[in-house]
Amino acid sequence: MSALARSRRHRFAPMLLLAFALLVVGGAYTALAPSSAQADALDDADAGKGEALFIANCATCHGPGAVGTDLAPSLVGVGPAAVHFQVTTGRMPMQASGPQAEAKPPQFSEDEALDMAAYIATLGPGPAIPTEEQVDPALGSAPNGMLLFRVNCAMCHNAVGAGGALTEGKYAPSLMNSSPTIIYEAMLTGPQSMPGFNDATLTPDEKRDIIAFLMEQRGTNPGGLSLGSLGPVSEGVWVFVVGLGALIGCAVWIGSRSS
């Protein structure tokens, strides 16, 4: 017993115990952690092809190695989700400098976008492209998504995701035609004026709930004519121009008949 006690008091014992604990924790995490969404989405992607595409189309602004220049920020650590969002929505490459990058028809195929995302993923860890399960609206709760959307998103995107104007020529785009994957990636990465909602702010399940709510808004107009779903502005114009105009017309007609 005395020999065992002396060995435990050895000056290297704490370091050996710490190394052993780290080895156990790391091994347990590797064995039990859920599979990465990034690995799922990028399984068939070719980072080598992505690097060639990046050098030919993006390095002029973002610099060799995507470290950034005076024209564009570094992409090291932005993650594959940010690259996939920007490229598949056509926002990148930009046609011209402006208040914000405009969405337009994409210049690259889905496979090419994934190749570039895989290349950027090799430069540093970042948000991963969501899996099909994470963005499946059928698995989400639309009522909870409505509450979350109106607390976190409606002040810019409008109560049903129809979009709205911001300051200095910027705007929150309509979400009516955005795919579930694009919506999830936007929440995760916070493009341009939009804040990012990491998994501590909005959990993956809550993001899916928001997607479920937005998908339910498409093609449903419980009140009849949607007027663009722009809220009180378009509704007020309709009331004043059409409603009051009709009342004034009726008053003029009644007055002319009684005279």
Side-chain angles (χ1 to χ4, degrees):
M1 292 297 294
S2 60
L4 178 61
R6 284 196 300 272
S7 65
R8 290 178 61 187
R9 290 195 297 270
H10 195 280
R11 60 176 180 169
F12 293 119
M15 289 184 287
L16 291 173
L17 288 173
L18 178 60
F20 178 74
L22 290 174
L23 181 63
V24 170
V25 171
Y29 178 82
T30 302
L32 300 176
S35 60
S36 168
Q38 175 177 329
D40 293 340
L42 302 181
D43 276 346
D44 298 325
D46 188 328
K49 291 181 180 178
E51 182 178 10
L53 288 168
F54 181 88
I55 292 172
N57 298 278
C58 315
T60 302
C61 294
H62 289 284
V67 294
T69 67
D70 293 339
L71 299 175
S74 169
L75 300 181
V76 177
V78 301
V83 177
H84 185 262
F85 172 87
Q86 297 288 349
V87 173
T88 56
T89 60
R91 288 176 166 84
M92 291 292 158
M94 290 181 68
Q95 290 180 332
S97 297
Q100 69 183 52
E102 300 281 346
K104 58 185 184 297
Q107 300 184 32
F108 300 96
S109 67
E110 175 71 11
D111 288 342
E112 289 172 330
L114 291 174
D115 289 343
M116 283 189 278
Y119 166 62
I120 295 300
T122 66
L123 304 179
I129 297 171
T131 63
E132 292 184 4
E133 181 180 352
Q134 286 178 304
V135 301
D136 186 353
L139 300 177
S141 169
N144 187 50
M146 178 187 70
L147 296 176
L148 292 167
F149 185 86
R150 292 183 176 174
V151 169
N152 296 282
C153 318
M155 63 286 295
C156 294
H157 285 284
N158 166 289
V160 295
L166 302 176
T167 59
E168 300 179 353
K170 300 176 183 178
Y171 63 93
S174 170
L175 305 177
M176 293 299 183
N177 296 315
S178 298
S179 71
T181 297
I182 292 301
I183 295 171
Y184 193 106
E185 289 173 341
M187 288 189 281
L188 195 60
T189 63
Q192 301 176 125
S193 299
M194 180 174 170
F197 296 93
N198 60 34
D199 289 347
T201 306
L202 286 176
T203 67
D205 287 346
E206 289 174 332
K207 291 184 177 73
R208 185 169 56 195
D209 290 345
I210 290 175
I211 291 171
F213 165 69
L214 291 172
M215 295 302 109
E216 279 202 357
Q217 305 313 301
R218 300 181 179 182
T220 60
N221 297 308
L225 186 61
S226 69
L227 301 177
S229 298
L230 296 177
V233 174
S234 59
E235 293 165 1
V237 170
W238 178 268
V239 169
F240 277 96
V241 173
V242 178
L244 290 181
L247 291 176
I248 292 171
C250 289
V252 171
W253 179 77
I254 293 171
S256 65
R257 291 293 299 271
S258 61
S259 60

